[in-house]
Amino acid sequence: MHTLIDGPWAVCEDFNVIVAPDEKKGGHPHTLSKSIDFINCMDDCGLFDTNFTGNTFTWCNGRNRRKMISKRLHRVITIQEWSDKFSYLRVDHLPKTGSDHNMILFQNTCNNMNFIKYFRYLNFWSNKDGWSRDTIGYVLETAKHMEDTTKVKEEEYETDDSDLNRMALHKAQEDYIRWLKTQESILRQKARVKWAEEGDAN
């Protein structure tokens, strides 16, 4: 595939394979023979595995006690030209939100990118008392705080899958999902406003 693409490229995907023993916890020990084809493919294409923040494991079978298996199945791989093009590259393993797979956030930015700042009345305010522009920052900060809390609860549950830790994880996931929905409402409308403004400018 790398011979068919002209320019930098990257792949963010659930590859359903791990490349090292420390990318799996629980179950039978990992054997390198299961990873050889994927490792050779990355090497042939000149691909690099990016660093990340968050929990190492991006999938869990959801079982309790000795039957729990966790793996790092999702990853972002890039060629060198991608890293050369973008001055800022970040991969976050976000907490699970009802699925047995973690969400992956892949962010890239160039130094010469221009950003448009704007402000509009947002629809969701009509259902909220006392909400203002400052509240947007509060929502985004709270969503990020809920994300960090859920990451911690996931790690605690993987270390000790007690009933207490499972309940704490489910509670954290519920709070995180609720704030994500509010954040999504904000970002969706802001995206529509930006599209409209840029469309008018053209």
Side-chain angles (χ1 to χ4, degrees):
M1 184 173 67
H2 67 294
T3 60
L4 302 176
I5 301 177
D6 183 19
W9 57 283
V11 183
C12 178
E13 185 60 80
D14 172 6
F15 292 97
N16 199 32
V17 63
I18 64 176
V19 298
D22 61 359
E23 292 185 348
K24 178 181 180 181
K25 179 180 179 181
H28 298 294
H30 176 67
T31 56
L32 185 60
S33 60
K34 296 180 179 179
S35 307
I36 289 298
D37 289 343
F38 183 70
I39 293 174
N40 287 341
C41 177
M42 289 182 59
D43 186 57
D44 291 342
C45 294
L47 289 162
F48 299 91
D49 193 359
T50 59
N51 293 325
F52 61 88
T53 65
N55 195 339
T56 299
F57 309 112
T58 63
W59 172 85
C60 178
N61 63 358
R63 302 289 183 86
N64 292 332
R65 308 302 177 184
R66 297 181 180 180
K67 295 183 179 180
M68 179 185 290
I69 299 176
S70 301
K71 297 180 182 180
R72 183 193 175 202
L73 300 181
H74 309 67
R75 65 187 75 237
V76 175
I77 52 179
T78 71
I79 61 173
Q80 184 60 48
E81 287 82 355
W82 186 278
S83 299
D84 294 340
K85 179 178 179 61
F86 294 100
S87 58
Y88 176 83
L89 189 155
R90 173 168 175 155
V91 177
D92 293 302
H93 291 179
L94 303 180
K96 298 179 181 68
T97 55
S99 170
D100 52 2
H101 296 261
N102 291 69
M103 295 185 294
I104 305 299
L105 177 62
F106 183 26
Q107 303 177 79
N108 304 272
T109 304
C110 295
N111 281 332
N112 58 354
M113 290 183 66
N114 295 319
F115 297 93
I116 301 174
K117 294 184 178 181
Y118 51 88
F119 175 74
R120 292 291 188 275
Y121 180 83
L122 300 180
N123 292 335
F124 82 99
W125 286 350
S126 61
N127 298 322
K128 303 291 183 180
D129 294 331
W131 283 54
S132 64
R133 182 175 185 175
D134 292 338
T135 311
I136 296 178
Y138 173 74
V139 171
L140 301 182
E141 290 177 4
T142 303
K144 184 62 173 65
H145 174 69
M146 292 295 101
E147 173 189 317
D148 294 339
T149 299
T150 306
K151 286 180 181 179
V152 171
K153 297 304 178 183
E154 283 184 350
E155 293 172 356
E156 291 177 349
Y157 182 59
E158 288 182 353
T159 302
D160 177 14
D161 58 346
S162 65
D163 292 339
L164 184 62
N165 282 345
R166 186 181 70 255
M167 293 173 61
L169 173 58
H170 289 171
K171 177 63 167 58
Q173 288 175 333
E174 291 175 0
D175 292 340
Y176 180 46
I177 291 172
R178 185 169 62 253
W179 282 99
L180 272 183
K181 289 180 178 178
T182 303
Q183 176 181 267
E184 182 183 2
S185 175
I186 295 174
L187 298 180
R188 186 186 299 114
Q189 187 178 359
K190 291 182 72 174
R192 287 198 298 267
V193 171
K194 182 178 181 180
W195 178 87
E197 288 186 345
E198 292 180 347
D200 290 342
N202 296 329

